[in-house]
Amino acid sequence: MKIFLTGGSGYIGSVTSALLLDRGHEVMVFDNLERGHREAVDPRAQLVVGDLKEERPVAEAVKAFKPDAVFHFAAYALVGESMADPMMYFRNNVTGAVNLVNAMLASGVKRIVFSSTCATYGQPDTMPMTEDLPQRPTNPYGESKLMCERMMRWAQERSGLEPTFLRYFNACGATERLGEDHAPETHLIPNILKVALGKAESVQLFGDDYPTEDGTCVRDYIHVSDLAEAHLLALEKHALGAFNLGTGKGCSVKEVLSACREITGREIPATIAPRRPGDPACLYASAAKAEKVLGWKPRESAIETIVSHAWNWHRRHPDGYGA
Ligand code: UDP
């Protein structure tokens, strides 16, 4: 199939492009390279450098490529940054999705797999999180993704769009070639590994007074390769609607830190810091629907596997892609 893939220079988009190409699909990457890395774009893909905030370039690229489906990864994805500057998130994430869907409809392309997030739920009262829980985001990042989902549902109802919403939990891990490189890095595992590499003195744990077993936030860490696989299954099975992508098991910040100490064999000093605004205490998925409908099962998402893959990548790329 021909896949038009936005955000192919980013973390999850680059891993998914590589998997699509490995499986014989044809990929056009549309990306403004603002936050991603040209080096992460698979050389087998056709790269169009363009900004989704503008209507014309994406409309022209979709029209010229005539894809069978669109995978939409390109977005800002940092909770803290979105709390500091909400409008930046709505402008980038919502405008980008609107222009992309308009471009699709104008060219008669119906199928889209959208990178959504567990942040669209906010902090639900019950765990594990199923897809039918109310969506009440606690930060503008989650709100911006929810707005995209809602927009696409209307486009489905009124214009025949065929959307899948993959609601990722915490993407992490790496492949041999591709890993996580954000500037500034805000994510837990790369920040811990930076300390293990001696590139930072200590890692800050944001809050140890949450109502969780050890007081630190609980998240559901899912290997980027497992996420990529779910996209292909959603495409092959033509599965529309929402799917949570997580392991079904939560892991606290302190547990992640312990796993990193064990895998790296390094001490990794840590200090307790204030809570980060917008962080819910505990989020983990029910992966039942994805398993039942997509036949998806995380294979590389044991925390030890995630950390060892990430550690391999960061050791080989101590300065990320840029070096
Ligand atoms: N976290 C932390 N120190 C860091 C980065 C993150 O304690 O340097 C915590 C953060 O507060 C959250 C969890 O680790 O509870 C996962 O955060 P991350 O930014 O990796 O992903 P998010 O859950 O925000 O998508």
Side-chain angles (χ1 to χ4, degrees), residues 77-80 118 141 169-170 180 185-192 203-207 210 216-219 221 253 275-276 279-281 283:
L78 302 177
V79 167
C118 63
Y141 163 59
F169 281 64
N170 285 59
E180 193 170 5
E185 188 53 78
T186 63
H187 293 106
L188 181 62
I189 293 173
N191 274 351
I192 294 174
V203 62
Q204 293 188 315
L205 311 187
F206 298 139
Y210 282 97
T216 62
C217 286
V218 169
R219 294 286 182 274
Y221 294 89
V253 168
R275 290 181 176 196
R276 192 172 65 175
D279 268 349
L283 301 172

Side-chain angles (χ1 to χ4, degrees), residues 6 33 58 121 155 162 207 213 218 227 232 237 276 282 286 288 290 309:
T6 73
L33 302 176
V58 61
Y121 296 108
E162 296 174 350
E213 222 160 271
V218 169
L227 290 180
L232 273 79
K237 309 226 149 148
R276 192 172 65 175
C282 177
S286 162
H309 289 186

Side-chain angles (χ1 to χ4, degrees), residues 38-50:
R38 195 181 274 274
E39 300 81 354
V41 177
D42 199 292
R44 296 167 292 174
Q46 191 180 332
L47 171 63
V48 175
V49 179

Side-chain angles (χ1 to χ4, degrees), residues 250-289:
C251 201
S252 75
V253 168
K254 283 187 178 166
E255 286 170 336
V256 173
L257 177 62
S258 301
C260 291
R261 284 176 172 155
E262 199 170 293
I263 300 288
T264 63
R266 313 268 164 105
E267 191 196 343
I268 315 183
T271 55
I272 304 300
R275 290 181 176 196
R276 192 172 65 175
D279 268 349
C282 177
L283 301 172
Y284 59 92
S286 162
K289 186 181 174 195

